């Protein structure tokens, strides 16, 4: 009996650490400033961690970032993400002011089998020049998931935020960071000390805040990417050069200002299994307070001349969704112009997610890239609520594509899980369309096939 209980508890713990894909990627806590890296053939994301300001921390501004620690997440398929838990915490780093909640944008890189995690935070003692402010520390691990051991001192000669490390083909490592301007210096082989004087990168916009450098190389072009306030809030811009230290030339915008009006954005670029991805953040779970953010990912494409095609943020995100998982169709790829809308299930606890509302004769919603596998799926389940009663059609690939199931939803005053037969199973990957057949009103939480 005891063993059975223990097994159930372990299963619950495992399940609660698994987060299903779509945007935002992390769906049970706030996360920001994502640095995505591929280590040992697997995608890892190192974000920072926003929390609502604890009431008892009277020294903190209530309208500002509150960031106590870091977690690391990983995924093989970019749909199912595992939270490996906290890796660095403000209370466990000797040089960090543990009352400052200032663990801002981090980075992580591998060298000779060791993982170096770089993070900014407020120092608890002034440096040799009497400066307190932000320092940049390093924590080292044998595995990407940790455990990470923080060094007792921050990197000497660096004051600033948003560290980013790049190792060039010749093995030389560079540290980039922000301090009003974007700075760069070479790193020593040990990855923890500067090997050159910091330089200010020239030719970047002079007006408007710049921060969050992320440098990557593709086909001999070095891309220096930054969030920059050109107008009112940050957008993602990039410059290109033929050397990691520049000179760089501004080349364009990767992502426009947030449609959700999130003041910050923060980016990383990574190639995984042949496809490039942009990781960034928005404030999906906290639309009224943009210092509680959530990380997202979308596919990224280059033009033949190496310039970057602008990325429009999506809700659908990346990765396939298995038809046998709960498909959160409100992370839609497209929807009807009229009669379809999305709302929080519970606006007092936004992490419960969203629902789709279909209302009227031309209402539909589309969710792309659902993997139906090879084995025949016989049933569809829908978590739904329809005060009037309604009929849904599940169609594939086009809004007027083949109907694979018709779901009759009885009148109800609360959520119900309604089942229907899959009449025409089609194997493989398909775009899913949920169409309201009878023009009534229905609220849908998720759809799942069995
Ligand atoms: O997350 C705190 C700060 O906001 C980061 O360090 C910046 O890049 C911006 O995203």
């Amino acid at each position: 009996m005891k063993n059975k209980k223990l097994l159930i508890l372990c299963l619950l713990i495992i399940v609660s650490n698994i987060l299903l894909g779509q945007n935002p990627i992390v769906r049970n806590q706030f996360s920001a400033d994502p640095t995505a890296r591929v280590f040992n053939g697997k995608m890892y994301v190192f974000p920072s961690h926003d929390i609502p300001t604890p009431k008892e921390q009277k020294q903190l501004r209530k309208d500002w970032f509150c960031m106590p620690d870091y977690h690391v997440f990983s995924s093989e398929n970019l749909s199912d993400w595992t939270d490996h838990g906290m890796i660095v915490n403000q209370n466990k780093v000797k040089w960090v002011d543990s009352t400052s909640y200032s663990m801002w944008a981090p980075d992580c890189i591998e060298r000779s089998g060791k993982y170096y995690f770089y993070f900014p935070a407020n120092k608890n003692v002034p440096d040799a020049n009497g400066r307190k402010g932000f320092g940049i520390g390093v924590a080292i691990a044998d595995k990407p998931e940790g455990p990470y051991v923080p060094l007792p001192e921050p990197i000497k000669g660096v004051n600033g935020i948003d560290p980013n490390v790049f190792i060039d083909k010749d093995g030389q490592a560079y540290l980039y960071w922000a301090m009003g301007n974007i700075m760069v210096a070479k790193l020593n082989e040990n990855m923890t000390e500067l090997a050159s004087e910091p330089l200010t990168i020239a030719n970047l916009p002079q007006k408007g805040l710049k921060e969050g450098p992320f440098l990557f190389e593709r086909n001999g072009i070095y891309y220096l990417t930054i969030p920059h306030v050109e107008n009112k809030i940050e957008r993602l811009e990039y410059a290109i050069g033929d050397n990691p230290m520049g000179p760089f030339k501004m080349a364009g915008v990767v992502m426009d200002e947030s449609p959700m009006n999130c003041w910050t954005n923060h980016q990383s670029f990574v190639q995984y299994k042949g496809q490039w991805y942009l990781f960034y953040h928005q404030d999906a779970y906290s639309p009224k307070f943009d210092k509680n953010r959530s990380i997202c990912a979308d596919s990224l494409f280059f033009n033949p001349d190496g310039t970057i095609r602008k990325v429009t943020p999506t809700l659908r995100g990346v990765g396939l969704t298995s038809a046998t998982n709960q498909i959160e169709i409100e992370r839609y790829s497209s929807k009807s112009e009229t009669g379809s809308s999305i709302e929080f299930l519970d606006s007092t606890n936004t992490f419960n997610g969203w629902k789709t509302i279909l209302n009227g004769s031309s209402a539909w919603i589309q969710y792309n890239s659902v993997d139906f596998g090879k084995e025949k799926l016989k049933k569809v389940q829908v978590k739904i609520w329809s005060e009037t009663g309604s009929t849904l059609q599940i169609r594939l690939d086009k809004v007027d594509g083949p109907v694979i199931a018709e779901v009759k939803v009885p009148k109800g005053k609360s959520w119900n899980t309604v089942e229907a037969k899959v009449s025409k199973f089609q194997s493989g990957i398909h775009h899913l369309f949920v169409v309201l057949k009878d023009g009534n009103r229905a609220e849908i939480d998720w759809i799942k096939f069995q």
Side-chain angles (χ1 to χ4, degrees):
M1 186 60 186
K2 248 189 182 170
N3 280 350
K4 204 173 166 194
K5 271 190 183 161
L6 200 65
L7 184 69
I8 294 173
L9 189 69
C10 289
L11 282 174
L12 279 175
I13 292 169
I14 292 168
V15 168
S16 65
N17 276 351
I18 304 273
L19 310 158
L20 298 176
Q22 310 140 359
N23 283 331
I25 294 169
V26 176
R27 310 187 86 178
N28 61 359
Q29 60 194 281
F30 297 118
S31 56
D33 307 321
T35 296
R37 298 284 185 195
V38 177
F39 294 137
N40 312 318
K42 197 173 178 185
M43 184 76 88
Y44 286 84
V45 182
F46 297 83
S48 50
H49 183 197
D50 291 338
I51 59 167
T53 307
K55 283 202 184 78
E56 64 279 8
Q57 300 296 332
K58 302 266 188 270
Q59 79 286 4
L60 299 175
R61 277 171 59 182
K62 300 288 169 280
D63 60 347
W64 196 236
F65 303 107
C66 185
M67 306 170 75
D69 54 34
Y70 299 99
H71 287 225
V72 57
F73 300 83
S74 74
S75 177
E76 302 265 5
N77 61 7
L78 308 187
S79 281
D80 307 308
W81 291 88
T82 301
D83 179 358
H84 298 283
M86 192 197 292
I87 51 167
V88 173
N89 166 343
Q90 63 179 3
N91 300 315
K92 296 277 162 64
V93 187
K94 227 173 147 195
W95 60 269
V96 170
D97 173 355
S98 60
T99 64
S100 65
Y101 291 77
S102 57
M103 302 202 112
W104 287 14
D107 194 2
C108 187
I109 203 153
E110 185 268 343
R111 174 156 221 157
S112 310
K114 294 261 182 229
Y115 296 85
Y116 295 86
F117 180 74
Y118 296 82
F119 58 96
N122 275 138
K123 294 181 262 188
N124 56 14
V125 282
D127 65 16
N129 302 320
R131 285 208 201 123
K132 238 175 152 191
F134 272 94
I136 289 178
V138 191
I140 305 171
D142 292 327
K143 288 188 293 173
E145 300 86 357
Y148 283 87
V149 179
L151 297 184
E153 302 282 340
I155 302 178
K156 287 199 177 56
V158 180
N159 292 286
I161 59 168
D162 297 354
N164 163 239
V165 175
F166 169 74
I167 304 178
D168 206 359
K169 288 186 217 106
D170 61 3
Q172 178 62 58
Y174 299 83
L175 175 69
Y176 301 80
W177 68 98
M179 200 186 56
N181 283 309
I182 305 299
M183 313 295 294
V184 60
K186 287 185 181 169
L187 275 176
N188 265 342
E189 215 29 65
N190 67 12
M191 303 296 278
T192 62
E193 291 164 334
L194 297 193
S196 71
E197 281 301 311
L199 283 180
T200 299
I201 294 182
N203 305 330
L204 300 181
Q206 286 309 297
K207 268 205 203 146
L209 180 74
K210 319 182 264 301
E211 52 181 358
F214 184 91
L215 187 125
F216 68 98
E217 182 267 347
R218 179 181 174 270
N219 296 340
I221 301 178
Y222 295 83
Y223 295 81
L224 175 66
T225 67
I226 49 166
H228 168 235
V229 181
E230 171 69 17
N231 303 304
K232 284 193 173 149
I233 62 175
E234 289 181 346
R235 66 182 192 185
L236 302 180
E237 299 179 7
Y238 74 106
I240 53 174
D242 57 12
N243 185 294
M245 290 182 110
F248 294 97
K249 191 169 172 259
M250 288 308 290
V253 175
V254 181
M255 180 174 273
D256 284 326
E257 287 93 347
S258 156
M260 296 172 185
N261 215 30
C262 184
W263 202 93
T264 62
N265 200 348
H266 191 105
Q267 74 296 350
S268 58
F269 295 71
V270 65
Q271 192 182 25
Y272 184 58
K273 299 185 177 169
Q275 173 64 52
W276 280 87
Y277 296 97
L278 171 69
F279 283 72
Y280 59 97
H281 69 226
Q282 297 209 330
D283 55 1
Y285 286 117
S286 176
K288 293 192 183 139
F289 181 55
D290 66 358
K291 308 297 177 292
N292 282 174
R293 299 156 295 177
S294 294
I295 62 169
C296 300
D298 274 305
S299 300
L300 175 94
F301 300 92
F302 293 84
N303 293 311
D305 65 357
T307 52
I308 298 176
R309 287 199 208 150
K310 212 187 249 187
V311 178
T312 304
T314 73
L315 299 175
R316 175 62 188 86
V318 297
L320 298 175
T321 300
S322 166
T324 56
N325 280 347
Q326 287 180 4
I327 308 169
E328 305 285 349
I329 54 170
E330 87 287 337
R331 307 292 84 198
Y332 62 87
S333 308
S334 181
K335 65 182 184 56
S336 55
E337 266 175 36
T338 55
S340 60
S341 56
I342 308 301
E343 282 178 15
F344 280 118
L345 281 163
D346 173 0
S347 56
T348 63
N349 181 4
T350 57
F351 288 118
N352 280 349
W354 297 264
K355 60 185 175 187
T356 302
I357 302 170
L358 296 181
N359 190 6
S361 56
S362 50
W364 56 267
I365 195 151
Q366 171 183 355
Y367 183 98
N368 283 356
S369 307
V370 177
D371 188 356
F372 284 83
K374 289 187 191 133
E375 299 250 321
K376 189 165 182 205
L377 297 170
K378 296 186 183 130
K379 272 196 304 194
V380 61
Q381 284 190 331
V382 186
K383 188 168 174 204
I384 193 161
W385 173 355
S386 178
E387 282 200 35
T388 51
S390 59
T391 305
L392 293 184
Q393 285 184 331
I394 316 284
R395 292 174 178 263
L396 293 190
D397 301 323
K398 290 192 291 183
V399 70
D400 57 355
V403 178
I404 60 160
E406 201 160 276
V407 187
K408 296 220 180 304
V409 186
K411 270 190 197 174
K413 289 215 179 304
S414 58
W415 290 102
N416 252 316
T417 304
V418 179
E419 282 188 1
K421 219 175 102 202
V422 172
S423 52
K424 277 189 201 145
F425 175 74
Q426 292 194 24
S427 61
I429 295 158
H430 297 277
H431 298 337
L432 192 73
F433 285 79
V434 178
V435 183
L436 191 66
K437 185 185 171 195
D438 55 16
N440 285 330
R441 178 187 158 98
E443 302 194 358
I444 303 159
D445 187 359
W446 49 256
I447 288 188
K448 176 181 175 167
F449 293 84
Q450 281 179 332

